[in-house]
Amino acid sequence: MTTSLVPPSAGGPSADAPPALGRASALMAPAMDAATERLDPSLHDAVRHHLAGGGKHVRAGLVLLASSAVGGTHEDSVLGAVAVELVHNYSLLHDDIIDGDRERRHRPTVWARYGVGVAIVVGDALAALAMQLLLDDPTPRRVRAAQVLADANQNMIGGQSADMAFEGRAAVGVEECLAMERGKTGALLSAACAMGGALGGGTEQQVGLLAAYGDNLGIAFQAVDDLLGIWGEPARTGKPVGADLMARKKTLPVSVAMAAGGEGAAELEAILGRELSDADVARATALIEASGARDEVAALADDHLQAALAALDEAELLAAPKEELMAVARYVTARDR
Amino acid sequence: MTTSLVPPSAGGPSADAPPALGRASALMAPAMDAATERLDPSLHDAVRHHLAGGGKHVRAGLVLLASSAVGGTHEDSVLGAVAVELVHNYSLLHDDIIDGDRERRHRPTVWARYGVGVAIVVGDALAALAMQLLLDDPTPRRVRAAQVLADANQNMIGGQSADMAFEGRAAVGVEECLAMERGKTGALLSAACAMGGALGGGTEQQVGLLAAYGDNLGIAFQAVDDLLGIWGEPARTGKPVGADLMARKKTLPVSVAMAAGGEGAAELEAILGRELSDADVARATALIEASGARDEVAALADDHLQAALAALDEAELLAAPKEELMAVARYVTARDR
């Protein structure tokens, strides 16, 4: 077949995103296209449908920037960029089934359009393809990247599984919640940076510090996401007000507020133990704010952003890509997004 | 935690199985146990439930025998045995969701007991774990095994996806059907043999011939399975009479009978195009037999079994493990199983 699996309308980062993400989208597109052509033809329609939804390609951008930052070229790292986006997309496909989400990026999700079975196998195919890409011609750098990606995939799955287990619990500790978010979000961001460092030929120390940058960035991103899930403007977040509370998610602000104890925590736990009315959502929001959790989580996000930037400083990176990594960090943790 | 994820009651091959499969089960158990302990604790219950169902461990046996047959030791190949069984089990977990099967080996499937979401992430976790095991300490032999396994996983997914696509079609060609079954069943059996050969230090030629043995074995096994799906005794197969026809599966006997053309093929296509009554199943069975498809598929199974054995002859293997590989081939293709 000659038609592209990734149509020209495939989106990519929005206009306010750091230029590095747009460059990553453009660099990655032909390689993603060539990779997905390898899949069984019976999978092509659903893969095309899913990838046409676009995305910000933050993880691909991180691979390419991390590689550049240690003096690497795009030749090897573009494979890593495709691999990490494949793993990200497989997780979206499966998460959409698990969460029962019928829409993503204003389009029907794969399970909603093609059925649960198709969405499962398409996700499985993308995950397998990521490993195939890195192992086709297994240079030591690619093997290292494959190793990092396999571990990150497992940590991501652990985070997703913990998140699901939390739904059935009345309260979740702050440390547990952080560990879950570190897995669910931080693992793949961290892996993207470490893979870029490895594929670009960085030292083990540089790879470790780039991984630390990605890990901290993941926590900061998730903390901001949790704040926006409660206090974000629906017009910007694309979710109704208080969507996370309505779904009784044990996010960081909730776990911090509950850890504060006292009457407020008890009332919050009671509210989150039942189906929430709009009044319940408003009351829970007020309780969390009154506990100081909103400020505390914002401070936690800032601390992790600073830790991410400090890891970059320590890694002795090339100046220009380092600046771009800093810009990406500020972009994905911006509270007005 | 100190409790084993693989309880002592975990089954394993039945008494009439070649002894090599029993040895494989015993050898693999502690390594499987150690591997699954690495998973997030939130996954342990469901993993334990699934693995406690047992299984024949044919794929693990093939890895260990193939390794021995090229002069390898069990030390390295046991990792490959665990990895291939992990991939097999992840595919079972996901297939059970896709097929809506509520029971496997007389126990509730993971999705039926813990929900679809849990079954998806447990499957994902086992697939990721397989790659982690082989890449933890990436010697060239293990990297080669990981490469083989990643490719086989993709081919298996392609077969599963094609099988799903066939359900919506009136007729499927014999070549298409063979390609689907080669992916769905042959890919992992072939990979098991190639991985054993690679991990045991076999030459590329030996690895290739072992892969050919597994590939042919896969087709022979699937052809026999298709015959049993129509003419097998329910007491032995554990499935009701004509279960595959009732489900309108486009198996080899069906595709061969349809390819024969004529009035019989037209009537068969008409029957398989609607919900089948018991009388329809009986009539379809008679039509397939009258077309000569039953004999033809039996001959095809024999041809592939002979091709599998010929590949062993050509590979210059050690005599004792080669004999055992021949015994496994005869066991999994026996028509009275």
Side-chain angles (χ1 to χ4, degrees):
Chain A
M1 68 193 302
T2 54
T3 51
S4 167
L5 280 181
V6 187
S9 63
S14 54
D16 63 335
L21 301 188
R23 294 202 313 274
S25 291
L27 262 167
M28 191 186 58
M32 176 64 88
D33 206 10
T36 50
E37 289 287 344
R38 289 169 56 166
L39 299 174
D40 191 84
S42 61
L43 296 161
H44 285 191
D45 267 1
V47 168
R48 189 183 292 120
H49 172 80
H50 176 75
L51 292 180
K56 289 194 294 289
H57 302 145
V58 170
R59 291 155 193 82
L62 290 174
V63 175
L64 296 169
L65 286 176
S67 167
S68 298
V70 297
T73 64
H74 287 328
E75 232 171 47
D76 242 17
S77 53
V78 76
L79 262 191
V82 173
V84 79
E85 289 288 335
L86 286 168
V87 169
H88 176 54
N89 280 288
Y90 119 79
S91 78
L92 297 180
L93 281 156
H94 285 186
D95 288 356
D96 283 340
I97 305 171
I98 293 166
D99 297 338
D101 287 337
R102 303 189 66 89
E103 284 209 352
R104 174 174 293 280
R105 298 169 193 147
H106 310 291
R107 309 169 74 243
T109 50
V110 170
W111 77 263
R113 176 149 176 180
Y114 298 92
V116 167
V118 170
I120 289 173
V121 296
V122 170
D124 290 344
L126 298 187
L129 183 57
M131 299 312 291
Q132 288 182 285
L133 286 186
L134 292 171
L135 294 174
D136 268 345
D137 172 16
T139 62
R141 291 178 184 185
R142 291 182 187 187
V143 169
R144 179 83 176 95
Q147 192 184 47
V148 167
L149 189 57
D151 287 341
N153 184 13
Q154 191 64 260
N155 291 336
M156 183 177 73
I157 293 162
Q160 170 67 20
S161 174
D163 196 19
M164 290 159 65
F166 289 173
E167 280 172 29
R169 286 169 49 182
V172 168
V174 177
E175 287 306 313
E176 282 181 297
C177 184
L178 269 175
M180 178 273 284
E181 299 198 337
R182 173 167 265 138
K184 205 171 163 181
T185 309
L188 205 52
L189 292 175
S190 178
C193 301
M195 289 167 69
L199 291 167
T203 63
E204 270 304 300
Q205 203 200 356
Q206 285 178 314
V207 171
L209 287 164
L210 284 163
Y213 157 82
D215 177 62
N216 281 292
L217 186 58
I219 301 278
F221 167 83
Q222 192 59 56
V224 170
D225 209 54
D226 285 355
L227 292 172
L228 293 173
I230 298 177
W231 291 281
E233 288 175 47
R236 281 176 180 270
T237 64
K239 293 196 239 178
V241 176
D244 280 0
L245 290 174
M246 196 66 95
R248 296 144 77 183
K249 290 207 178 200
K250 306 300 181 300
T251 61
L252 269 177
V254 170
S255 65
V256 169
M258 286 194 180
E263 281 179 26
E267 188 182 347
L268 182 62
E269 192 175 323
I271 292 174
L272 292 175
R274 58 180 186 244
E275 292 288 310
L276 274 71
S277 66
D278 286 348
D280 283 335
V281 169
R283 178 65 185 155
T285 304
L287 285 167
I288 296 167
E289 184 136 19
S291 77
R294 183 178 187 174
D295 293 340
E296 206 171 313
V297 173
L300 183 145
D302 285 341
D303 288 350
H304 282 83
L305 174 58
Q306 293 312 316
L309 299 176
L312 290 184
D313 277 335
E314 205 181 328
E316 300 181 16
L317 305 172
L318 295 178
K322 180 187 159 186
E323 284 295 327
E324 298 204 277
L325 284 169
M326 293 168 70
V328 170
R330 295 201 183 91
Y331 170 68
V332 302
T333 57
R335 247 165 275 160
D336 59 353
R337 70 162 190 266
Chain B
M1 68 192 301
T2 54
T3 52
S4 167
L5 279 180
V6 187
S9 64
S14 55
D16 63 334
L21 301 188
R23 293 202 314 273
S25 291
L27 263 168
M28 191 185 58
M32 176 64 88
D33 205 10
T36 49
E37 288 287 344
R38 290 169 55 166
L39 299 174
D40 191 84
S42 61
L43 296 161
H44 285 191
D45 266 3
V47 168
R48 187 184 292 120
H49 172 81
H50 176 76
L51 293 180
K56 289 193 295 288
H57 302 145
V58 170
R59 292 155 193 82
L62 290 174
V63 174
L64 296 168
L65 286 176
S67 167
S68 298
V70 298
T73 65
H74 287 328
E75 232 170 47
D76 242 17
S77 53
V78 76
L79 261 191
V82 173
V84 79
E85 289 289 334
L86 286 169
V87 169
H88 176 55
N89 281 288
Y90 118 81
S91 78
L92 297 180
L93 281 157
H94 284 186
D95 287 357
D96 283 340
I97 305 172
I98 294 166
D99 297 337
D101 288 338
R102 303 189 66 91
E103 284 208 354
R104 173 174 292 280
R105 298 169 193 146
H106 310 291
R107 309 170 74 243
T109 50
V110 170
W111 77 263
R113 174 148 176 182
Y114 299 91
V116 167
V118 170
I120 290 174
V121 296
V122 170
D124 291 344
L126 298 187
L129 183 57
M131 299 311 290
Q132 288 182 286
L133 286 186
L134 292 171
L135 294 174
D136 267 346
D137 173 15
T139 62
R141 290 178 185 185
R142 291 183 186 186
V143 169
R144 179 84 176 93
Q147 191 184 46
V148 167
L149 188 57
D151 287 341
N153 185 12
Q154 189 67 260
N155 291 336
M156 183 177 72
I157 292 162
Q160 170 67 21
S161 174
D163 196 20
M164 290 159 65
F166 290 174
E167 279 173 30
R169 286 170 48 182
V172 168
V174 177
E175 287 305 313
E176 283 181 297
C177 184
L178 269 175
M180 178 273 284
E181 298 197 338
R182 173 166 263 137
K184 205 173 163 178
T185 308
L188 205 54
L189 291 175
S190 178
C193 302
M195 288 166 69
L199 291 168
T203 63
E204 271 304 300
Q205 204 200 355
Q206 284 178 314
V207 170
L209 287 164
L210 285 163
Y213 157 82
D215 176 62
N216 280 291
L217 185 58
I219 300 277
F221 167 83
Q222 192 59 56
V224 170
D225 209 53
D226 286 353
L227 292 171
L228 293 173
I230 298 177
W231 292 280
E233 288 175 46
R236 280 176 181 271
T237 64
K239 293 195 240 180
V241 176
D244 281 359
L245 289 174
M246 196 66 94
R248 296 145 77 185
K249 289 207 181 205
K250 307 301 181 299
T251 61
L252 269 176
V254 170
S255 66
V256 169
M258 284 194 180
E263 280 179 27
E267 188 182 347
L268 182 61
E269 192 175 323
I271 293 175
L272 291 175
R274 59 181 186 244
E275 292 288 310
L276 275 72
S277 66
D278 285 348
D280 284 335
V281 170
R283 177 66 184 155
T285 303
L287 285 167
I288 296 168
E289 183 134 18
S291 77
R294 183 178 186 174
D295 293 339
E296 206 172 312
V297 173
L300 182 143
D302 285 340
D303 288 350
H304 281 84
L305 173 59
Q306 293 312 316
L309 299 176
L312 291 183
D313 276 335
E314 206 182 327
E316 300 180 17
L317 304 171
L318 295 178
K322 180 186 160 188
E323 283 295 327
E324 297 205 276
L325 284 169
M326 293 169 69
V328 170
R330 294 201 184 91
Y331 171 68
V332 302
T333 57
R335 247 165 275 160
D336 59 353
R337 72 164 187 264

